[in-house]
Amino acid sequence: MKLTYFGHACFQVEIRDKKILFDSFISHNELATAVKTDEIDPDYIFLSHGHADHIADCVSIARRSGCKVVSAFEVHEWLNKQGIANTHPMNTGGKWNFDFGTVKCVVAHHSSGLPDGSYGGNPMGFVFLTDEGNFYYAGDTALTLDMQLVPTWARLDFAVLPIGDNFTMDVADAIRAADFVACKTIVGVHYNTFGFIVVDTEKARQDFQQAGKTLLLPAINETINLS
Ligand code: NI
Ligand code: MN
């Protein structure tokens, strides 16, 4: 499975020739000016929640590519109002079999208002179960005991966790989250984009290493192979 990082909490995973983009926030990210948003052509966009730093480029990418957008029910309704019809509403606890594998929506402790103030429902994380491997994307969330349920559903090859603190888990809590989900390979996201979430990345890598885990922090536009 290949993962390409586009900055902040935006990344793309390729599974069975399907390109799955997560939390499309690129053109407003000052650190991601080298990413050519117009050339991103996914088959799916998964949105963890409705905050602008996760959905800002969703409407334009979805309109151009025709991809299917998967999100909480309320975010789906909002997207429909923006003229994006190819959507799939889900909610926490539910799963669906897509053409690349099965996705289960899990608890994330955060908030989810949409950019125009509309109600966005609850934020979510996603557990992906596929022939090419399994992974968990936590979305924006606090450390939560609910994460201990993840290994009962999936043996993970990797997990994508926020590490930036202030709005989400910090590095120490992300290490505990990695324990809760029983995963040693972590891709860190949601850090260094704004002043509130600056992380000492070298120390973060060392802290994970001391806990017997690997923290991967791909550069923007870098593609890494996982599982
Ligand atoms: Ni958020
Ligand atoms: Mn966020």
Side-chain angles (χ1 to χ4, degrees), residues 17-48:
D17 299 328
K18 299 291 179 196
K19 286 179 281 192
I20 302 159
L21 184 69
F22 293 83
D23 285 351
S24 39
F25 171 76
I26 303 160
S27 62
H28 296 278
N29 181 354
E30 289 172 10
L31 303 181
T33 49
V35 180
K36 294 188 172 69
T37 314
D38 293 348
E39 293 176 10
I40 296 175
D41 188 24
D43 298 287
Y44 293 88
I45 298 174
F46 276 74
L47 300 174
S48 65

Coordinates of all heavy atoms in Angstrom, one line a residue, residues 17-48:
D17 N -5.5 -0.3 -7.0 CA -5.6 0.7 -8.0 C -6.6 1.8 -7.8 O -6.9 2.6 -8.7 CB -5.9 0.1 -9.4 CG -4.8 -0.9 -9.8 OD1 -3.6 -0.6 -9.4 OD2 -5.1 -1.9 -10.4
K18 N -7.1 1.9 -6.6 CA -8.0 3.0 -6.2 C -7.3 4.0 -5.4 O -6.5 3.6 -4.5 CB -9.2 2.5 -5.4 CG -10.1 1.4 -6.1 CD -10.9 2.1 -7.2 CE -11.7 1.0 -7.9 NZ -12.2 1.5 -9.2
K19 N -7.5 5.2 -5.7 CA -6.8 6.3 -5.0 C -7.8 6.9 -4.0 O -8.8 7.4 -4.4 CB -6.3 7.4 -6.0 CG -5.0 6.9 -6.7 CD -4.5 7.9 -7.7 CE -5.4 7.9 -8.9 NZ -4.9 8.7 -10.0
I20 N -7.4 6.9 -2.7 CA -8.3 7.4 -1.7 C -7.6 8.6 -1.0 O -6.6 8.4 -0.4 CB -8.6 6.3 -0.7 CG1 -9.2 5.1 -1.5 CG2 -9.5 6.7 0.4 CD1 -9.1 3.8 -0.8
L21 N -8.3 9.7 -1.1 CA -7.7 11.0 -0.5 C -8.4 11.2 0.8 O -9.6 11.0 0.9 CB -8.0 12.1 -1.5 CG -7.4 13.5 -1.1 CD1 -5.9 13.5 -1.2 CD2 -7.9 14.6 -2.0
F22 N -7.7 11.6 1.8 CA -8.2 11.9 3.1 C -8.1 13.4 3.4 O -7.0 14.0 3.2 CB -7.5 11.1 4.2 CG -7.7 9.6 4.1 CD1 -7.0 8.8 3.2 CD2 -8.7 9.0 4.9 CE1 -7.2 7.5 3.1 CE2 -8.9 7.6 4.8 CZ -8.2 6.9 3.9
D23 N -9.1 14.0 4.0 CA -9.1 15.3 4.6 C -8.4 16.3 3.7 O -7.3 16.9 4.0 CB -8.5 15.2 6.0 CG -9.5 14.7 7.0 OD1 -10.7 14.5 6.6 OD2 -9.1 14.4 8.1
S24 N -9.1 16.7 2.6 CA -8.5 17.5 1.5 C -8.3 18.9 1.9 O -9.3 19.7 1.8 CB -9.5 17.4 0.3 OG -10.9 17.4 0.8
F25 N -7.2 19.3 2.4 CA -6.8 20.6 2.7 C -5.4 20.9 2.2 O -4.4 20.4 2.8 CB -6.9 20.8 4.2 CG -6.3 22.1 4.7 CD1 -7.0 23.3 4.6 CD2 -5.1 22.2 5.3 CE1 -6.5 24.5 5.0 CE2 -4.5 23.4 5.8 CZ -5.3 24.6 5.6
I26 N -5.3 21.6 1.1 CA -4.0 21.8 0.4 C -3.8 23.2 0.0 O -2.8 23.9 0.4 CB -3.9 20.9 -0.8 CG1 -4.2 19.4 -0.5 CG2 -2.6 21.1 -1.5 CD1 -4.5 18.5 -1.6
S27 N -4.7 23.8 -0.8 CA -4.5 25.1 -1.4 C -4.4 26.2 -0.3 O -3.8 27.3 -0.6 CB -5.5 25.4 -2.4 OG -6.8 25.5 -1.8
H28 N -4.9 26.0 0.8 CA -4.8 27.1 1.9 C -3.7 26.8 2.9 O -3.5 27.5 3.9 CB -6.2 27.2 2.6 CG -7.3 27.7 1.8 ND1 -7.5 29.0 1.5 CD2 -8.2 27.0 1.1 CE1 -8.5 29.2 0.7 NE2 -9.0 27.9 0.4
N29 N -2.9 25.7 2.6 CA -1.8 25.3 3.5 C -0.5 26.0 2.9 O 0.0 25.6 1.9 CB -1.7 23.8 3.5 CG -0.6 23.4 4.5 OD1 0.2 24.2 5.0 ND2 -0.5 22.1 4.6
E30 N 0.0 26.9 3.7 CA 1.2 27.7 3.2 C 2.4 26.7 3.0 O 3.3 27.1 2.3 CB 1.5 28.8 4.2 CG 0.5 29.9 4.1 CD 0.8 31.0 5.2 OE1 1.8 30.9 5.9 OE2 -0.1 31.9 5.4
L31 N 2.4 25.6 3.7 CA 3.5 24.7 3.7 C 3.4 23.7 2.4 O 4.3 23.0 2.1 CB 3.6 23.8 4.9 CG 3.7 24.6 6.3 CD1 3.8 23.6 7.4 CD2 4.9 25.5 6.2
A32 N 2.2 23.7 1.8 CA 1.9 22.7 0.7 C 1.9 23.4 -0.6 O 1.2 22.8 -1.5 CB 0.7 22.0 1.0
T33 N 2.6 24.5 -0.8 CA 2.4 25.2 -2.1 C 3.0 24.4 -3.3 O 2.7 24.6 -4.4 CB 3.2 26.6 -2.1 OG1 4.5 26.4 -1.5 CG2 2.4 27.6 -1.2
A34 N 3.9 23.4 -3.0 CA 4.4 22.6 -4.0 C 3.5 21.5 -4.5 O 3.7 20.8 -5.5 CB 5.7 21.9 -3.5
V35 N 2.4 21.3 -3.8 CA 1.4 20.2 -4.2 C 0.5 20.8 -5.2 O -0.1 21.9 -5.1 CB 0.6 19.8 -3.0 CG1 -0.4 18.7 -3.4 CG2 1.5 19.3 -1.8
K36 N 0.4 20.1 -6.3 CA -0.5 20.5 -7.4 C -1.9 20.0 -7.2 O -2.2 18.9 -7.7 CB 0.1 20.1 -8.8 CG 1.4 20.7 -9.1 CD 1.9 20.4 -10.5 CE 3.1 21.2 -10.9 NZ 4.3 20.7 -10.2
T37 N -2.7 20.8 -6.5 CA -4.0 20.3 -6.2 C -4.8 19.9 -7.4 O -5.6 19.0 -7.4 CB -4.8 21.5 -5.4 OG1 -3.9 22.0 -4.4 CG2 -6.0 21.0 -4.7
D38 N -4.6 20.7 -8.5 CA -5.3 20.4 -9.8 C -5.0 19.0 -10.4 O -5.8 18.5 -11.2 CB -5.0 21.5 -10.8 CG -5.5 22.8 -10.4 OD1 -6.3 22.9 -9.5 OD2 -5.1 23.8 -11.1
E39 N -3.9 18.4 -9.9 CA -3.5 17.1 -10.5 C -3.9 16.0 -9.6 O -3.7 14.8 -10.0 CB -2.0 17.1 -10.8 CG -1.6 18.1 -11.9 CD -0.1 18.2 -12.2 OE1 0.6 17.4 -11.6 OE2 0.3 19.1 -12.9
I40 N -4.4 16.3 -8.5 CA -4.9 15.2 -7.6 C -6.2 14.7 -8.1 O -7.2 15.5 -8.3 CB -5.0 15.7 -6.1 CG1 -3.6 16.1 -5.6 CG2 -5.6 14.6 -5.2 CD1 -3.6 16.7 -4.2
D41 N -6.3 13.4 -8.4 CA -7.4 12.8 -9.1 C -7.9 11.5 -8.4 O -7.7 10.4 -9.0 CB -7.0 12.6 -10.6 CG -8.2 12.2 -11.4 OD1 -9.3 12.5 -11.1 OD2 -8.0 11.5 -12.5
P42 N -8.5 11.7 -7.3 CA -8.8 10.5 -6.5 C -10.1 9.8 -7.0 O -10.9 10.4 -7.7 CB -9.0 11.0 -5.1 CG -9.5 12.4 -5.3 CD -8.9 12.9 -6.6
D43 N -10.2 8.5 -6.5 CA -11.5 7.8 -6.7 C -12.4 8.1 -5.6 O -13.7 8.0 -5.7 CB -11.2 6.3 -6.9 CG -10.3 6.0 -8.1 OD1 -10.8 6.1 -9.2 OD2 -9.1 5.7 -7.8
Y44 N -11.9 8.3 -4.4 CA -12.7 8.6 -3.2 C -12.0 9.7 -2.4 O -10.8 9.9 -2.4 CB -12.7 7.4 -2.3 CG -13.4 6.2 -2.8 CD1 -12.7 5.3 -3.6 CD2 -14.8 6.0 -2.5 CE1 -13.4 4.1 -4.0 CE2 -15.4 4.9 -3.0 CZ -14.8 4.0 -3.8 OH -15.4 2.9 -4.2
I45 N -12.8 10.5 -1.7 CA -12.3 11.4 -0.6 C -13.1 11.0 0.6 O -14.3 10.9 0.7 CB -12.6 12.9 -0.9 CG1 -11.9 13.4 -2.2 CG2 -12.2 13.7 0.3 CD1 -12.3 14.8 -2.6
F46 N -12.3 10.7 1.7 CA -12.9 10.4 3.0 C -12.6 11.6 3.9 O -11.5 12.1 4.0 CB -12.2 9.2 3.7 CG -12.9 7.9 3.2 CD1 -12.6 7.4 1.9 CD2 -13.7 7.2 4.0 CE1 -13.2 6.2 1.5 CE2 -14.3 6.0 3.6 CZ -14.1 5.5 2.4
L47 N -13.7 12.1 4.5 CA -13.6 13.3 5.4 C -13.8 12.9 6.8 O -14.9 12.3 7.1 CB -14.7 14.3 5.0 CG -14.6 14.9 3.5 CD1 -15.8 15.8 3.2 CD2 -13.3 15.7 3.3
S48 N -12.9 13.2 7.7 CA -13.1 12.8 9.1 C -14.1 13.7 9.8 O -14.8 13.3 10.7 CB -11.7 12.8 9.8 OG -11.2 14.1 9.9

